[in-house]
Amino acid sequence: MNRALSSVVWKKLQVLGEKQGSIRLSDLAQEMNLGPEETLGFMRQIFPAGSGMEIYHKDNEHWIDLKTDAIQYMLPLSPAEWVQLHQILSRFAGPHTAVTQALRRKVTENGPIRVVMELVSQIDLWDQELSEHQQHMIHALETAIEERQLVGLATVEGREYVLKPCKVLHLEGQLSLIAEDFEDHCLTVVPLNEVQEFRELQKEAPVKVTAFEVEEFIAAIRAMNERETRLILKIHDPQSINLFPDHHFLGKPCMITNPQGDLIWAAYVEPCDSLFEWLMTLGKHVEILDPLNFREEYLMYCEEKLRKIA
């Protein structure tokens, strides 16, 4: 009974929502399948007192002047709820009526979701900001990788290394160097925030480990910490965005274009703040398809970023 009543009320609200300007009371009552008095009673409950509806007589008939803007409602949604609503509308597979198209446009183009994402994308990365020294070191390491040169490192704990750099990437939540030890040729991980001294050694030393061995090494570390997950994204307008986050290892990447021109992007990744920041830069161009726990973790990260500037 309550479900049927609810359906009837929604249909009447939809009729009202599509009206604007003057209409005869008798015509409106017929469309709403009510008597004239019932129609007036229903409308007095819907419209705020003194706004949105004016009743007057003309040619011995009752007329109603409607301003349906008066029955627009504001939803007090949190940022995570706005993001979730945006994703639900993006995946909506039902008939695209004028109402659903207007709703999607309001949420994706004019709604708070756009403001939220733009705001978040402009927030400084306080916890991940690199010092000038660290930026110089990363640039030098990438050059050494390209030119196959040795580097010397000293850590805050007093350890010293002579290494053949292989890859700079985020691992276990930290920006780290994967390198081959010059002495025993084993692969090692050095978090860059633990490096106290860094020097470039003008000596070439081709890396003996293969790219495949480096990838297997990274995958093994992720497996031990159970931090790796298969991330699947739908990316709209892929030509206009960066599809590859800096300093991230993408395990078994795969990209397929669907008939609508969207890119289905998949790879094994390690969820971390830096990866979430990359997703933020994609804004409305990206939709997280799977896994659900990654999406929830990302939404929580967005909320926390907003909380910091509140």
Side-chain angles (χ1 to χ4, degrees), residues 56-121:
Y56 62 95
H57 288 82
K58 178 182 176 183
D59 300 329
N60 296 320
E61 291 188 282
H62 285 88
W63 287 72
I64 299 177
D65 188 25
L66 296 174
K67 295 181 177 61
T68 50
D69 290 349
I71 54 172
Q72 291 184 351
Y73 299 96
M74 297 297 294
L75 286 176
L77 301 181
S78 69
E81 289 168 335
W82 275 111
V83 172
Q84 189 70 42
L85 179 58
H86 170 261
Q87 293 179 340
I88 290 171
L89 288 171
S90 298
R91 295 193 300 269
F92 179 69
H96 294 287
T97 64
V99 174
T100 58
Q101 289 176 352
L103 179 60
R104 177 181 290 184
R105 184 170 59 253
K106 287 180 179 179
V107 171
T108 59
E109 297 178 8
N110 305 319
I113 182 63
R114 179 180 61 82
V115 179
V116 166
M117 297 311 293
E118 287 181 356
L119 179 61
V120 170
S121 67

Side-chain angles (χ1 to χ4, degrees), residues 163-183:
L163 302 172
K164 306 173 189 178
C166 298
K167 191 178 287 288
V168 177
L169 79 163
H170 291 273
L171 193 62
E172 299 180 292
Q174 301 183 80
L175 193 59
S176 304
L177 170 67
I178 306 295
E180 178 187 330
D181 190 281
F182 179 66
E183 298 295 335

Side-chain angles (χ1 to χ4, degrees), residues 226-242:
E226 298 182 345
R227 287 290 293 164
E228 188 171 69
T229 188
R230 186 69 171 174
L231 178 62
I232 303 177
L233 308 173
K234 180 191 285 187
I235 299 178
H236 314 288
D237 192 18
Q239 294 81 11
S240 64
I241 58 177
N242 171 29

Side-chain angles (χ1 to χ4, degrees), residues 126-193:
W126 298 293
D127 298 332
Q128 300 183 62
E129 258 186 357
L130 299 174
S131 66
E132 187 175 342
H133 170 71
Q134 289 173 319
Q135 292 177 20
H136 168 74
M137 180 169 57
I138 292 170
H139 177 72
L141 286 171
E142 290 175 338
T143 301
I145 292 171
E146 185 177 345
E147 298 180 357
R148 300 183 177 183
Q149 291 184 334
L150 290 174
V151 297
L153 301 179
T155 69
V156 292
E157 295 180 349
R159 296 179 182 176
E160 295 190 1
Y161 299 92
V162 175
L163 302 172
K164 306 173 189 178
C166 298
K167 191 178 287 288
V168 177
L169 79 163
H170 291 273
L171 193 62
E172 299 180 292
Q174 301 183 80
L175 193 59
S176 304
L177 170 67
I178 306 295
E180 178 187 330
D181 190 281
F182 179 66
E183 298 295 335
D184 60 18
H185 306 292
C186 291
L187 286 170
T188 188
V189 181
V190 182
L192 295 187
N193 62 1

